[in-house]
Amino acid sequence: MEYRRLGRSGLQVSVLSYGSWVTYANQIDTRAARECMAAAFDAGVNFFDNAEVYAAGQSEVVMGEAIKALGWPRQSYIVSTKFYWGLSEGPNQKNTLNRKYLMHAIDGSLKRLQLDHVDLVFCHRPDANTPIEETVWAMSDMIRQGKALYWGTSEWSADEIRAAWEIAERHHLHKPVMEQPQYHLFHRRRVEKEYARLYEDIGLGLTTWSPLASGLLTGKYRQGIPAGSRGSMENLSFLREQLTDPAKNEAVGRLEEIARELDASVAQLAIAWCARHPHVSTVITGASRLEQLRHNLGALDVLPRLTPEVLERIDEISKPLAR
């Protein structure tokens, strides 16, 4: 396993990490989560990603039970959570980043995870109705209180991230260290263009999600939506149009040819492609089965095979379809 610094911080994260979105409490229980987390940890994964909203809080419960059962030394692993969507209806409880919500939210997550602190905490989306200054003060206070070690954002614009960083700089507060954007072969602009100045200017690190485009880049949707897949889940029906896109599925078929030449699957190729970006600190992978987890981790072996020539061929196929 390769470890990379999280942006300009001193924290080292495994280049491949393991996330719980969709799977925990929806597709797998505590026993299966424990099994997958143990296998990931044994392979060198040290970062486990979560969020308050995943499975309406139950994803954190499952991960917390698994961590407790595994009994790892606390300094050996990194856990994250994210806040914005909320778990309850009503003012100050949903779709906000105001101080009141954030202070309650961190306490709820720590209770569900059975931890006294999380390592990383993200503002899961920007909040146009709360002054950024209020959010920055609340996140910095969360760290000052010892409930989190580093904070960052997820799917914020470059301007919003820079504004938060400058407020923290001006008031000598804890600055946002990382951003968690979607990044894969068909979704590139934000990571490769919009954030480009932030890597050098403020030392932004990335913990990217959806390297397989919700499963499109596994090739499983080339013949439609298979039973039991993510695309067949009613709560994820919004993904179906993307997953069955004819042009993208045709491109996946062409990418499979390159993957075969590299003795890899298209999924491993896609994960390795994300990890090859110099400003990606870690690529968050997901898995509902042990064999799927191990297969994804095989992307580590593909990474050194991505020569400039191979990358050029991948771009020729995928870049015209990317946004």
Side-chain angles (χ1 to χ4, degrees):
M1 181 62 67
E2 176 189 351
Y3 298 90
R4 298 178 181 176
R5 287 174 59 196
L6 184 60
R8 205 169 282 165
S9 79
L11 187 68
Q12 295 189 42
V13 292
S14 50
V15 68
L16 298 185
S17 44
Y18 180 42
S20 65
W21 181 51
V22 178
T23 55
Y24 279 37
N26 288 318
Q27 294 177 304
I28 65 175
D29 58 14
T30 299
R31 181 197 58 78
R34 184 174 68 245
E35 186 178 52
C36 285
M37 289 180 70
F41 188 78
D42 288 346
V45 171
N46 73 345
F47 171 37
F48 300 90
D49 183 71
N50 215 316
E52 175 195 59
V53 73
Y54 295 168
Q58 291 306 301
S59 176
E60 290 179 320
V61 171
V62 168
M63 184 173 285
E65 290 290 344
I67 289 171
K68 181 180 178 181
L70 289 164
W72 297 328
R74 185 63 184 89
Q75 66 269 27
S76 67
Y77 63 92
I78 296 164
V79 172
S80 70
T81 194
K82 312 180 197 73
F83 302 128
Y84 171 74
W85 308 108
L87 297 177
S88 304
E89 298 293 334
N92 307 313
Q93 299 177 71
K94 190 175 181 67
N95 299 349
T96 184
L97 292 174
N98 70 32
R99 171 179 283 274
K100 179 172 176 58
Y101 161 72
L102 289 170
M103 293 297 102
H104 284 284
I106 185 62
D107 289 341
S109 283
L110 293 179
K111 184 176 181 180
R112 288 186 292 273
L113 288 164
Q114 301 185 57
L115 298 173
D116 62 6
H117 73 276
V118 291
D119 302 277
L120 309 181
V121 61
F122 296 83
C123 294
H124 210 161
R125 289 296 185 273
D127 174 13
N129 297 313
T130 298
I132 290 182
E133 185 166 3
E134 178 177 338
T135 299
V136 172
W137 274 94
M139 298 306 290
S140 185
D141 285 348
M142 202 179 288
I143 293 175
R144 184 182 55 80
Q145 293 165 5
K147 296 177 180 181
L149 302 184
Y150 303 86
W151 80 275
T153 58
S154 181
E155 297 296 347
W156 283 32
S157 71
D159 288 344
E160 289 163 335
I161 295 169
R162 189 180 292 276
W165 192 92
E166 289 177 350
I167 288 168
E169 170 82 356
R170 186 159 61 247
H171 295 288
H172 306 289
L173 303 175
H174 291 283
K175 301 180 181 72
V177 169
M178 67 283 177
E179 157 66 27
Q180 187 168 122
Q182 181 178 184
Y183 184 51
H184 54 73
L185 283 161
F186 299 130
H187 192 96
R188 306 177 174 209
R189 186 189 62 81
R190 176 155 271 179
V191 166
E192 297 181 357
K193 302 293 185 183
E194 183 181 342
Y195 292 161
R197 290 287 300 272
L198 298 181
Y199 305 131
E200 296 303 323
D201 288 357
I202 69 172
L204 186 70
L206 302 180
T207 67
T208 63
W209 62 279
S210 198
L212 301 180
S214 295
L216 172 64
L217 285 162
T218 65
K220 71 171 70 170
Y221 295 101
R222 291 182 62 199
Q223 306 301 323
I225 297 177
S229 68
R230 182 173 297 186
S232 70
M233 298 170 65
E234 280 307 312
N235 63 328
L236 297 176
S237 59
F238 64 91
L239 293 173
R240 289 173 189 164
E241 184 176 353
Q242 169 194 313
L243 294 173
T244 56
D245 182 284
K248 288 179 180 176
N249 274 290
E250 181 186 357
V252 171
R254 295 172 63 194
L255 290 168
E256 285 178 345
E257 297 175 13
I258 298 175
R260 279 195 296 271
E261 293 173 20
L262 301 179
D263 194 25
S265 70
V266 69
Q268 291 170 331
L269 177 73
I271 293 169
W273 180 89
C274 294
R276 110 281 173 219
H277 192 289
H279 296 293
V280 169
S281 303
T282 185
V283 179
I284 301 169
T285 65
S288 57
R289 304 184 313 278
L290 193 56
E291 56 269 27
Q292 187 181 30
L293 171 72
R294 288 174 173 152
H295 183 80
N296 288 343
L297 291 175
L300 290 169
D301 297 326
V302 182
L303 193 52
R305 303 173 200 162
L306 297 182
T307 63
E309 179 193 6
V310 170
L311 290 172
E312 186 176 344
R313 291 173 61 196
I314 292 171
D315 276 353
E316 183 182 337
I317 295 167
S318 61
K319 201 167 187 179
L321 299 172
R323 59 185 179 91

